[in-house]
Amino acid sequence: MKRATIKDVAEAAGVGVATVSRVLSGGSASPETRERVLAVAAQLDYRPSALGRNLRQRRTGGIGLLLPDLTDSFHGGLAEGVLACARSAGEPVVIGSTGDDPEQEAELIGMLLEQSVDRVIAVPAGDADTWRPALKAGMGVVFADRLPYEPDAAEEEATAAVDELMMLDGVPAAPASRPAVRPRPLDVPAVLTDDRSGIRTAVQYLRGLGHRRIAYLGGPGRERRVEAFRQAVGGVPDEELIVFSDGSRDSAYAAASGLFQTRPDLTAVLAGGNMLGEAAVLAARELDLRVPRDLSVIMFDDVPWAELCFPPLTVIAQPARDMGYRAAELVLRTGPRRPRSVLLPTELVIRGSCGPRL
Amino acid sequence: MKRATIKDVAEAAGVGVATVSRVLSGGSASPETRERVLAVAAQLDYRPSALGRNLRQRRTGGIGLLLPDLTDSFHGGLAEGVLACARSAGEPVVIGSTGDDPEQEAELIGMLLEQSVDRVIAVPAGDADTWRPALKAGMGVVFADRLPYEPDAAEEEATAAVDELMMLDGVPAAPASRPAVRPRPLDVPAVLTDDRSGIRTAVQYLRGLGHRRIAYLGGPGRERRVEAFRQAVGGVPDEELIVFSDGSRDSAYAAASGLFQTRPDLTAVLAGGNMLGEAAVLAARELDLRVPRDLSVIMFDDVPWAELCFPPLTVIAQPARDMGYRAAELVLRTGPRRPRSVLLPTELVIRGSCGPRL
DNA sequence: CTGAAAGCGCTAACAC
DNA sequence: GTGTTAGCGCTTTCAG
C-alpha cells in the first residue's frame, strides 16, 4: 500500500496540487477549499514527503550532531539538550559518534554534506583543517564544549581564541606578549563552559584547604583547561604535576597511576574531565591512597555516579543539557547576523572527596 | 558557491549524466571514460546529493533510532553499537529521545515517516498501538531491550511473547494454562537480553548467600523481568517485596526508600535497572543501612559507576553495545525472510555489594 | 484565489 | 558502452 502523494490529495479534492501545497503550508486559500483539502488529506492519511520538499528547496533542514562518545554521560546530556530543542523546532537530528578520531569525524562530515544537512553541532575531534571543508560548503556550524585547535600554531591560536572569550568572563586577558595581528582560527560560534572560572574556583577551594602541591590530569582537546590551571596555580607551575592522557580509559588510568606513584608528595588532584576523575579514583584506590585523607580529588564535570562514589566526589559541574540546548538554538537561529558564542557558568559542588591537607 | 551537480560533471567530462551516475555507482563503463569522469568529479569536488537519489528511489535509506534517554549509560552504549554498525554500512542515523513517553514516541515516529526513514530501531516507550502505524507504513522495525506491551491484554500477551523467546534459552516455557490460540502481539524482530536467565542467576546467587527475603525494584516496560523474578523466587512470592516506579529518578528513589522502610526484614534487593540500582544505593545510605552488612544489593545492568560505588556494586551485566550492533544488523538485513529475534546472554559480575545474610 | 508548469538532482529504462 | 528521457513529490513563479 503506497503512501498518498500530494497529487492524490489534489485529485481527490478536485483541486490543483499547488492549492494543496498552499493549504498545507499555511498559504492563502478560500476557507471552503481549505476545509475540503484538509478533510481529504486527513482521510487519505496524507503526509507531505520531506524528500520532495527538501529536493525542491535544496536543503534537508535537519541538524547534524557529532559527538566523541555517547557512552560518556556528559555527551549524553548534551545530546538530550540538542534533541529537546530540535524537537520543539520540528527538526530531525542526524547523529554521529566520532570516537574522538579526526578521520572518522571527517568522514561523518562528508556524510552530512552528502545528505545536505546544512547545520551541525559538534564537539570537535579534529583540527581546524578538518572543519574548513564544512565551512566552505556553507554549513552552519556550532561547536560545543571545545574548539578545534589550529594544526600549526596550536597553542598560540587556541590561546588567542580563549582570551577573546574570556573577556566575557569580565576578566580581561593578560596583555602579555602577543604579536601584532593574528588571523582568528575558525570564525564559528560556540557554546563553551567557563573553564577558566571553573578551574580557578577548584584551585582556590583546594588552596583554602591548605593544599599546595596540586596535580592536574588532562585529556585531549582541553588546552583551555590546562592553561587555566597553570594560571590559577600561579608562579611557575610544577610541570611534572601536569599529566595528560588521550581519550581512552586505559590511558587515563595509566596517567593517574603513574602520577600518583612518581609524585607521592602531591596532596590533591584536579581531574580535567569525568573519565579522568574515574581513573583518579580507581588509581587511588588501587594504590591504597585514602580519599580525602591521603589525597583530595576534585573533578571537572558532574556525573550521576559522583554521588555514589566513595567518598562522594566533589566536582565542578557544567550544565551539559543546557549546552546542548543553547547550541541548538544558535544553530537554528537563521538570523542575518552570525550568532555570538556563549560561555556557560560552572558550579562547585562540594561533596566528600576533598579534605584539609594533613 | 554552489555545489556541483551531476550535470556539471557530465558537461565537464563531455559525457551524459547517466554515464556519470553509472561510473559513480560502479556500473559498467569503458575504463577510459570512467577515468575521465572520476577525474572531473574529484576536480569539481563533486558529491552526489542524497536528496536526488532518495527522492528517485523513494526512500531515505537511513536508520531511525528512538531511545528513552541518552543520559542513561545503557542507552548510550546501545546507541554507540547502532552507530558503529550504521557507519560501516554508510547509513546515516536519525535519532530521537522519547523520554519514555508514548506520545513523544508517536510524534517522532511521525517525523521519521515524513522523512521517509524506512527502518527504525527502538527501545519502545509506547504500546503496540503506538507502533502499528509504523508497521502499516511498511517500516522495518527492530525493537531493542524490550517489547511494546499490548494495551488490552497486557500481561497475557507479553507473557506469551516472552515464553516464545524463552524457548531459545533452552528452557521450554511452562505448558501451564494457556488458552488455545492467541494472536501474537507485534510480529517484529527484537534484540533482547536474556532477562530470565539473568534474574535467575541473581536470585540463585543471593539465595546461595543465605538470603530468603529478597525484594525486587522494577521499572516501566519491564514485565519480563518481574515475571522472571517471581518465577525465580518460586512458591507464592511476597508481593509486598515487589515494588515499581515510573521512569523518573525521584520515583525510583521513593520506591526504594519506601520499600526499605516498610519492610525492614528484607535482607537483599534486586534492582531491575541501573536507575533503580542508583536509587537503592542512595536510599540505603540515607537510611543508614550498611551495604552489604545490613542489605545486599544487586543490580541489573552494568555501568561505569558500579565499580566506583561504595561498596562496588555486584551486577548482572548486559552487553549494551552489542545489542545496538545486532539490532542494526537486523534492521539492515534486507533479506526476503524476516530476521529472527535475538536473545543476548547476561553475565554476573561479582563485586562487593552482596554478602551473606547475618 | 487557483491551476498549470517548471524544475530541484538523481537513477533507470530504453534507444542507439 | 553511452546518451536521452521520464519521472520521484514537492514548491513556486506565472497566468488566469
PDB file of all heavy atoms in Angstrom, chain B residues 6 18 21 46 48-49 52-53 56, chain C residues 7-15:
ATOM      1  N   ILE B   6      25.443  16.553 -10.792  1.00  0.00           N
ATOM      2  CA  ILE B   6      25.842  15.508 -11.729  1.00  0.00           C
ATOM      3  C   ILE B   6      25.929  16.071 -13.151  1.00  0.00           C
ATOM      4  O   ILE B   6      26.739  15.635 -13.968  1.00  0.00           O
ATOM      5  CB  ILE B   6      24.849  14.329 -11.661  1.00  0.00           C
ATOM      6  CG1 ILE B   6      25.481  13.084 -12.276  1.00  0.00           C
ATOM      7  CG2 ILE B   6      23.534  14.677 -12.333  1.00  0.00           C
ATOM      8  CD1 ILE B   6      24.627  11.855 -12.123  1.00  0.00           C
ATOM      9  N   ALA B  18      23.874  10.023 -17.327  1.00  0.00           N
ATOM     10  CA  ALA B  18      23.706   8.612 -16.986  1.00  0.00           C
ATOM     11  C   ALA B  18      25.061   7.951 -16.797  1.00  0.00           C
ATOM     12  O   ALA B  18      25.257   7.137 -15.898  1.00  0.00           O
ATOM     13  CB  ALA B  18      22.915   7.905 -18.070  1.00  0.00           C
ATOM     14  N   SER B  21      26.475   8.802 -13.507  1.00  0.00           N
ATOM     15  CA  SER B  21      25.772   8.037 -12.485  1.00  0.00           C
ATOM     16  C   SER B  21      26.292   6.605 -12.433  1.00  0.00           C
ATOM     17  O   SER B  21      26.563   6.073 -11.361  1.00  0.00           O
ATOM     18  CB  SER B  21      24.273   8.041 -12.780  1.00  0.00           C
ATOM     19  OG  SER B  21      23.578   7.253 -11.863  1.00  0.00           O
ATOM     20  N   TYR B  46      32.911  16.976  -6.522  1.00  0.00           N
ATOM     21  CA  TYR B  46      31.520  16.581  -6.648  1.00  0.00           C
ATOM     22  C   TYR B  46      31.120  15.520  -5.628  1.00  0.00           C
ATOM     23  O   TYR B  46      31.816  14.546  -5.413  1.00  0.00           O
ATOM     24  CB  TYR B  46      31.256  16.032  -8.051  1.00  0.00           C
ATOM     25  CG  TYR B  46      29.914  15.354  -8.183  1.00  0.00           C
ATOM     26  CD1 TYR B  46      28.734  16.092  -8.101  1.00  0.00           C
ATOM     27  CD2 TYR B  46      29.829  13.973  -8.377  1.00  0.00           C
ATOM     28  CE1 TYR B  46      27.508  15.474  -8.210  1.00  0.00           C
ATOM     29  CE2 TYR B  46      28.603  13.347  -8.489  1.00  0.00           C
ATOM     30  CZ  TYR B  46      27.449  14.101  -8.402  1.00  0.00           C
ATOM     31  OH  TYR B  46      26.241  13.476  -8.510  1.00  0.00           O
ATOM     32  N   PRO B  48      27.654  13.298  -4.849  1.00  0.00           N
ATOM     33  CA  PRO B  48      26.278  13.026  -5.254  1.00  0.00           C
ATOM     34  C   PRO B  48      25.345  13.446  -4.127  1.00  0.00           C
ATOM     35  O   PRO B  48      25.621  13.189  -2.960  1.00  0.00           O
ATOM     36  CB  PRO B  48      26.245  11.513  -5.455  1.00  0.00           C
ATOM     37  CG  PRO B  48      27.561  10.986  -5.035  1.00  0.00           C
ATOM     38  CD  PRO B  48      28.500  12.121  -4.840  1.00  0.00           C
ATOM     39  N   SER B  49      24.281  14.092  -4.451  1.00  0.00           N
ATOM     40  CA  SER B  49      23.331  14.534  -3.428  1.00  0.00           C
ATOM     41  C   SER B  49      22.380  13.407  -3.067  1.00  0.00           C
ATOM     42  O   SER B  49      21.708  12.844  -3.917  1.00  0.00           O
ATOM     43  CB  SER B  49      22.539  15.723  -3.940  1.00  0.00           C
ATOM     44  OG  SER B  49      21.320  15.810  -3.267  1.00  0.00           O
ATOM     45  N   GLY B  52      18.552  13.939  -4.208  1.00  0.00           N
ATOM     46  CA  GLY B  52      18.086  13.469  -5.510  1.00  0.00           C
ATOM     47  C   GLY B  52      17.906  11.961  -5.534  1.00  0.00           C
ATOM     48  O   GLY B  52      16.882  11.446  -5.958  1.00  0.00           O
ATOM     49  N   ARG B  53      18.920  11.303  -5.065  1.00  0.00           N
ATOM     50  CA  ARG B  53      18.874   9.840  -5.086  1.00  0.00           C
ATOM     51  C   ARG B  53      17.685   9.313  -4.292  1.00  0.00           C
ATOM     52  O   ARG B  53      16.931   8.464  -4.757  1.00  0.00           O
ATOM     53  CB  ARG B  53      20.171   9.268  -4.512  1.00  0.00           C
ATOM     54  CG  ARG B  53      20.239   7.768  -4.671  1.00  0.00           C
ATOM     55  CD  ARG B  53      21.339   7.091  -3.875  1.00  0.00           C
ATOM     56  NE  ARG B  53      22.131   7.963  -3.046  1.00  0.00           N
ATOM     57  CZ  ARG B  53      23.368   8.317  -3.305  1.00  0.00           C
ATOM     58  NH1 ARG B  53      23.971   7.876  -4.387  1.00  0.00           N
ATOM     59  NH2 ARG B  53      24.020   9.089  -2.474  1.00  0.00           N
ATOM     60  N   ARG B  56      14.343   9.868  -5.925  1.00  0.00           N
ATOM     61  CA  ARG B  56      14.200   8.936  -7.030  1.00  0.00           C
ATOM     62  C   ARG B  56      13.828   7.541  -6.526  1.00  0.00           C
ATOM     63  O   ARG B  56      12.945   6.878  -7.031  1.00  0.00           O
ATOM     64  CB  ARG B  56      15.519   8.891  -7.805  1.00  0.00           C
ATOM     65  CG  ARG B  56      15.541   7.924  -8.958  1.00  0.00           C
ATOM     66  CD  ARG B  56      14.513   8.332  -9.983  1.00  0.00           C
ATOM     67  NE  ARG B  56      13.777   7.202 -10.454  1.00  0.00           N
ATOM     68  CZ  ARG B  56      13.765   6.777 -11.696  1.00  0.00           C
ATOM     69  NH1 ARG B  56      14.422   7.429 -12.622  1.00  0.00           N
ATOM     70  NH2 ARG B  56      13.064   5.739 -12.049  1.00  0.00           N
TER      71      ARG B  56
ATOM     72  P    DG C   7      12.592  24.920 -16.366  1.00  0.00           P
ATOM     73  OP1  DG C   7      13.629  25.407 -15.402  1.00  0.00           O
ATOM     74  OP2  DG C   7      12.709  25.224 -17.791  1.00  0.00           O
ATOM     75  O5'  DG C   7      12.401  23.317 -16.224  1.00  0.00           O
ATOM     76  C5'  DG C   7      13.347  22.549 -15.482  1.00  0.00           C
ATOM     77  C4'  DG C   7      13.458  23.070 -14.062  1.00  0.00           C
ATOM     78  O4'  DG C   7      12.133  22.980 -13.460  1.00  0.00           O
ATOM     79  C3'  DG C   7      14.384  22.218 -13.201  1.00  0.00           C
ATOM     80  O3'  DG C   7      15.181  23.047 -12.390  1.00  0.00           O
ATOM     81  C2'  DG C   7      13.464  21.351 -12.363  1.00  0.00           C
ATOM     82  C1'  DG C   7      12.190  22.178 -12.289  1.00  0.00           C
ATOM     83  N9   DG C   7      11.044  21.275 -12.277  1.00  0.00           N
ATOM     84  C8   DG C   7      10.502  20.587 -13.338  1.00  0.00           C
ATOM     85  N7   DG C   7       9.468  19.863 -13.007  1.00  0.00           N
ATOM     86  C5   DG C   7       9.315  20.093 -11.638  1.00  0.00           C
ATOM     87  C6   DG C   7       8.372  19.576 -10.727  1.00  0.00           C
ATOM     88  O6   DG C   7       7.463  18.787 -10.936  1.00  0.00           O
ATOM     89  N1   DG C   7       8.590  20.063  -9.431  1.00  0.00           N
ATOM     90  C2   DG C   7       9.590  20.947  -9.078  1.00  0.00           C
ATOM     91  N2   DG C   7       9.636  21.303  -7.806  1.00  0.00           N
ATOM     92  N3   DG C   7      10.472  21.454  -9.931  1.00  0.00           N
ATOM     93  C4   DG C   7      10.277  20.976 -11.183  1.00  0.00           C
ATOM     94  P    DC C   8      16.699  22.713 -12.239  1.00  0.00           P
ATOM     95  OP1  DC C   8      17.424  23.998 -12.407  1.00  0.00           O
ATOM     96  OP2  DC C   8      17.037  21.555 -13.075  1.00  0.00           O
ATOM     97  O5'  DC C   8      16.830  22.226 -10.728  1.00  0.00           O
ATOM     98  C5'  DC C   8      16.833  23.132  -9.617  1.00  0.00           C
ATOM     99  C4'  DC C   8      16.725  22.299  -8.363  1.00  0.00           C
ATOM    100  O4'  DC C   8      15.373  21.842  -8.213  1.00  0.00           O
ATOM    101  C3'  DC C   8      17.613  21.067  -8.372  1.00  0.00           C
ATOM    102  O3'  DC C   8      18.784  21.326  -7.588  1.00  0.00           O
ATOM    103  C2'  DC C   8      16.770  19.964  -7.712  1.00  0.00           C
ATOM    104  C1'  DC C   8      15.333  20.543  -7.664  1.00  0.00           C
ATOM    105  N1   DC C   8      14.332  19.773  -8.453  1.00  0.00           N
ATOM    106  C2   DC C   8      13.116  19.395  -7.861  1.00  0.00           C
ATOM    107  O2   DC C   8      12.904  19.698  -6.685  1.00  0.00           O
ATOM    108  N3   DC C   8      12.214  18.705  -8.601  1.00  0.00           N
ATOM    109  C4   DC C   8      12.485  18.402  -9.877  1.00  0.00           C
ATOM    110  N4   DC C   8      11.562  17.722 -10.563  1.00  0.00           N
ATOM    111  C5   DC C   8      13.705  18.793 -10.497  1.00  0.00           C
ATOM    112  C6   DC C   8      14.589  19.462  -9.765  1.00  0.00           C
ATOM    113  P    DG C   9      20.197  21.153  -8.262  1.00  0.00           P
ATOM    114  OP1  DG C   9      21.122  21.844  -7.369  1.00  0.00           O
ATOM    115  OP2  DG C   9      20.147  21.467  -9.705  1.00  0.00           O
ATOM    116  O5'  DG C   9      20.436  19.586  -8.134  1.00  0.00           O
ATOM    117  C5'  DG C   9      20.526  18.986  -6.842  1.00  0.00           C
ATOM    118  C4'  DG C   9      20.555  17.489  -7.016  1.00  0.00           C
ATOM    119  O4'  DG C   9      19.289  17.067  -7.546  1.00  0.00           O
ATOM    120  C3'  DG C   9      21.619  16.979  -7.997  1.00  0.00           C
ATOM    121  O3'  DG C   9      22.355  15.963  -7.348  1.00  0.00           O
ATOM    122  C2'  DG C   9      20.821  16.464  -9.189  1.00  0.00           C
ATOM    123  C1'  DG C   9      19.485  16.116  -8.563  1.00  0.00           C
ATOM    124  N9   DG C   9      18.349  16.250  -9.455  1.00  0.00           N
ATOM    125  C8   DG C   9      18.164  17.196 -10.435  1.00  0.00           C
ATOM    126  N7   DG C   9      17.028  17.069 -11.067  1.00  0.00           N
ATOM    127  C5   DG C   9      16.421  15.975 -10.462  1.00  0.00           C
ATOM    128  C6   DG C   9      15.168  15.366 -10.733  1.00  0.00           C
ATOM    129  O6   DG C   9      14.324  15.691 -11.573  1.00  0.00           O
ATOM    130  N1   DG C   9      14.936  14.274  -9.896  1.00  0.00           N
ATOM    131  C2   DG C   9      15.810  13.838  -8.928  1.00  0.00           C
ATOM    132  N2   DG C   9      15.424  12.781  -8.222  1.00  0.00           N
ATOM    133  N3   DG C   9      16.982  14.399  -8.674  1.00  0.00           N
ATOM    134  C4   DG C   9      17.222  15.457  -9.476  1.00  0.00           C
ATOM    135  P    DC C  10      23.351  15.008  -8.088  1.00  0.00           P
ATOM    136  OP1  DC C  10      24.374  14.575  -7.136  1.00  0.00           O
ATOM    137  OP2  DC C  10      23.753  15.633  -9.363  1.00  0.00           O
ATOM    138  O5'  DC C  10      22.420  13.774  -8.384  1.00  0.00           O
ATOM    139  C5'  DC C  10      21.914  13.037  -7.267  1.00  0.00           C
ATOM    140  C4'  DC C  10      20.904  12.037  -7.716  1.00  0.00           C
ATOM    141  O4'  DC C  10      19.921  12.709  -8.517  1.00  0.00           O
ATOM    142  C3'  DC C  10      21.458  10.927  -8.598  1.00  0.00           C
ATOM    143  O3'  DC C  10      21.600   9.748  -7.817  1.00  0.00           O
ATOM    144  C2'  DC C  10      20.429  10.729  -9.687  1.00  0.00           C
ATOM    145  C1'  DC C  10      19.366  11.769  -9.397  1.00  0.00           C
ATOM    146  N1   DC C  10      18.914  12.511 -10.603  1.00  0.00           N
ATOM    147  C2   DC C  10      17.699  12.173 -11.204  1.00  0.00           C
ATOM    148  O2   DC C  10      17.047  11.247 -10.743  1.00  0.00           O
ATOM    149  N3   DC C  10      17.290  12.881 -12.279  1.00  0.00           N
ATOM    150  C4   DC C  10      18.044  13.878 -12.744  1.00  0.00           C
ATOM    151  N4   DC C  10      17.581  14.563 -13.810  1.00  0.00           N
ATOM    152  C5   DC C  10      19.280  14.242 -12.159  1.00  0.00           C
ATOM    153  C6   DC C  10      19.684  13.531 -11.098  1.00  0.00           C
ATOM    154  P    DT C  11      22.348   8.488  -8.508  1.00  0.00           P
ATOM    155  OP1  DT C  11      22.826   7.661  -7.398  1.00  0.00           O
ATOM    156  OP2  DT C  11      23.259   8.969  -9.559  1.00  0.00           O
ATOM    157  O5'  DT C  11      21.139   7.715  -9.198  1.00  0.00           O
ATOM    158  C5'  DT C  11      20.153   7.141  -8.357  1.00  0.00           C
ATOM    159  C4'  DT C  11      19.063   6.516  -9.193  1.00  0.00           C
ATOM    160  O4'  DT C  11      18.552   7.477 -10.150  1.00  0.00           O
ATOM    161  C3'  DT C  11      19.489   5.293  -9.997  1.00  0.00           C
ATOM    162  O3'  DT C  11      18.403   4.388  -9.898  1.00  0.00           O
ATOM    163  C2'  DT C  11      19.635   5.831 -11.416  1.00  0.00           C
ATOM    164  C1'  DT C  11      18.517   6.876 -11.427  1.00  0.00           C
ATOM    165  N1   DT C  11      18.641   8.016 -12.379  1.00  0.00           N
ATOM    166  C2   DT C  11      17.550   8.361 -13.127  1.00  0.00           C
ATOM    167  O2   DT C  11      16.488   7.768 -13.074  1.00  0.00           O
ATOM    168  N3   DT C  11      17.732   9.442 -13.956  1.00  0.00           N
ATOM    169  C4   DT C  11      18.890  10.192 -14.094  1.00  0.00           C
ATOM    170  O4   DT C  11      18.926  11.143 -14.862  1.00  0.00           O
ATOM    171  C5   DT C  11      19.996   9.775 -13.282  1.00  0.00           C
ATOM    172  C7   DT C  11      21.290  10.520 -13.364  1.00  0.00           C
ATOM    173  C6   DT C  11      19.831   8.714 -12.473  1.00  0.00           C
ATOM    174  P    DA C  12      18.605   2.841 -10.108  1.00  0.00           P
ATOM    175  OP1  DA C  12      18.103   2.149  -8.910  1.00  0.00           O
ATOM    176  OP2  DA C  12      19.961   2.613 -10.616  1.00  0.00           O
ATOM    177  O5'  DA C  12      17.570   2.572 -11.283  1.00  0.00           O
ATOM    178  C5'  DA C  12      16.257   3.118 -11.190  1.00  0.00           C
ATOM    179  C4'  DA C  12      15.586   2.991 -12.533  1.00  0.00           C
ATOM    180  O4'  DA C  12      15.996   4.083 -13.374  1.00  0.00           O
ATOM    181  C3'  DA C  12      15.959   1.721 -13.295  1.00  0.00           C
ATOM    182  O3'  DA C  12      14.830   1.341 -14.064  1.00  0.00           O
ATOM    183  C2'  DA C  12      17.104   2.187 -14.177  1.00  0.00           C
ATOM    184  C1'  DA C  12      16.604   3.579 -14.535  1.00  0.00           C
ATOM    185  N9   DA C  12      17.648   4.527 -14.889  1.00  0.00           N
ATOM    186  C8   DA C  12      18.966   4.526 -14.509  1.00  0.00           C
ATOM    187  N7   DA C  12      19.656   5.535 -14.990  1.00  0.00           N
ATOM    188  C5   DA C  12      18.723   6.254 -15.729  1.00  0.00           C
ATOM    189  C6   DA C  12      18.815   7.423 -16.483  1.00  0.00           C
ATOM    190  N6   DA C  12      19.946   8.130 -16.605  1.00  0.00           N
ATOM    191  N1   DA C  12      17.694   7.870 -17.108  1.00  0.00           N
ATOM    192  C2   DA C  12      16.570   7.159 -16.966  1.00  0.00           C
ATOM    193  N3   DA C  12      16.360   6.028 -16.277  1.00  0.00           N
ATOM    194  C4   DA C  12      17.487   5.639 -15.681  1.00  0.00           C
ATOM    195  P    DA C  13      14.548  -0.252 -14.193  1.00  0.00           P
ATOM    196  OP1  DA C  13      13.099  -0.313 -13.950  1.00  0.00           O
ATOM    197  OP2  DA C  13      15.510  -1.014 -13.362  1.00  0.00           O
ATOM    198  O5'  DA C  13      14.788  -0.705 -15.687  1.00  0.00           O
ATOM    199  C5'  DA C  13      15.061   0.230 -16.635  1.00  0.00           C
ATOM    200  C4'  DA C  13      13.799   0.754 -17.313  1.00  0.00           C
ATOM    201  O4'  DA C  13      13.991   2.177 -17.520  1.00  0.00           O
ATOM    202  C3'  DA C  13      13.595   0.162 -18.690  1.00  0.00           C
ATOM    203  O3'  DA C  13      12.235   0.250 -19.111  1.00  0.00           O
ATOM    204  C2'  DA C  13      14.492   1.018 -19.556  1.00  0.00           C
ATOM    205  C1'  DA C  13      14.528   2.361 -18.823  1.00  0.00           C
ATOM    206  N9   DA C  13      15.907   2.841 -18.646  1.00  0.00           N
ATOM    207  C8   DA C  13      16.908   2.252 -17.908  1.00  0.00           C
ATOM    208  N7   DA C  13      18.052   2.917 -17.965  1.00  0.00           N
ATOM    209  C5   DA C  13      17.770   4.001 -18.793  1.00  0.00           C
ATOM    210  C6   DA C  13      18.561   5.065 -19.248  1.00  0.00           C
ATOM    211  N6   DA C  13      19.843   5.225 -18.903  1.00  0.00           N
ATOM    212  N1   DA C  13      17.983   5.961 -20.049  1.00  0.00           N
ATOM    213  C2   DA C  13      16.690   5.807 -20.389  1.00  0.00           C
ATOM    214  N3   DA C  13      15.837   4.860 -20.027  1.00  0.00           N
ATOM    215  C4   DA C  13      16.459   3.970 -19.221  1.00  0.00           C
ATOM    216  P    DC C  14      11.785  -0.554 -20.419  1.00  0.00           P
ATOM    217  OP1  DC C  14      10.314  -0.463 -20.522  1.00  0.00           O
ATOM    218  OP2  DC C  14      12.471  -1.868 -20.365  1.00  0.00           O
ATOM    219  O5'  DC C  14      12.427   0.297 -21.609  1.00  0.00           O
ATOM    220  C5'  DC C  14      12.067   1.683 -21.747  1.00  0.00           C
ATOM    221  C4'  DC C  14      12.979   2.302 -22.797  1.00  0.00           C
ATOM    222  O4'  DC C  14      14.263   2.624 -22.240  1.00  0.00           O
ATOM    223  C3'  DC C  14      13.230   1.397 -24.009  1.00  0.00           C
ATOM    224  O3'  DC C  14      12.679   2.040 -25.144  1.00  0.00           O
ATOM    225  C2'  DC C  14      14.750   1.270 -24.075  1.00  0.00           C
ATOM    226  C1'  DC C  14      15.224   2.482 -23.269  1.00  0.00           C
ATOM    227  N1   DC C  14      16.550   2.322 -22.611  1.00  0.00           N
ATOM    228  C2   DC C  14      17.496   3.346 -22.731  1.00  0.00           C
ATOM    229  O2   DC C  14      17.201   4.360 -23.385  1.00  0.00           O
ATOM    230  N3   DC C  14      18.702   3.194 -22.140  1.00  0.00           N
ATOM    231  C4   DC C  14      18.978   2.084 -21.447  1.00  0.00           C
ATOM    232  N4   DC C  14      20.177   2.001 -20.874  1.00  0.00           N
ATOM    233  C5   DC C  14      18.021   1.039 -21.321  1.00  0.00           C
ATOM    234  C6   DC C  14      16.833   1.184 -21.916  1.00  0.00           C
ATOM    235  P    DA C  15      12.682   1.262 -26.578  1.00  0.00           P
ATOM    236  OP1  DA C  15      11.310   1.421 -27.120  1.00  0.00           O
ATOM    237  OP2  DA C  15      13.333  -0.074 -26.591  1.00  0.00           O
ATOM    238  O5'  DA C  15      13.765   2.153 -27.265  1.00  0.00           O
ATOM    239  C5'  DA C  15      13.791   2.988 -28.256  1.00  0.00           C
ATOM    240  C4'  DA C  15      15.060   3.821 -28.257  1.00  0.00           C
ATOM    241  O4'  DA C  15      15.908   3.591 -27.113  1.00  0.00           O
ATOM    242  C3'  DA C  15      15.898   3.556 -29.504  1.00  0.00           C
ATOM    243  O3'  DA C  15      16.010   4.756 -30.240  1.00  0.00           O
ATOM    244  C2'  DA C  15      17.240   3.077 -28.992  1.00  0.00           C
ATOM    245  C1'  DA C  15      17.257   3.550 -27.531  1.00  0.00           C
ATOM    246  N9   DA C  15      17.981   2.627 -26.659  1.00  0.00           N
ATOM    247  C8   DA C  15      17.576   1.409 -26.222  1.00  0.00           C
ATOM    248  N7   DA C  15      18.432   0.813 -25.420  1.00  0.00           N
ATOM    249  C5   DA C  15      19.483   1.706 -25.341  1.00  0.00           C
ATOM    250  C6   DA C  15      20.704   1.675 -24.659  1.00  0.00           C
ATOM    251  N6   DA C  15      21.076   0.669 -23.876  1.00  0.00           N
ATOM    252  N1   DA C  15      21.527   2.735 -24.789  1.00  0.00           N
ATOM    253  C2   DA C  15      21.144   3.768 -25.562  1.00  0.00           C
ATOM    254  N3   DA C  15      20.026   3.920 -26.256  1.00  0.00           N
ATOM    255  C4   DA C  15      19.227   2.837 -26.101  1.00  0.00           C
TER     256       DA C  15
END
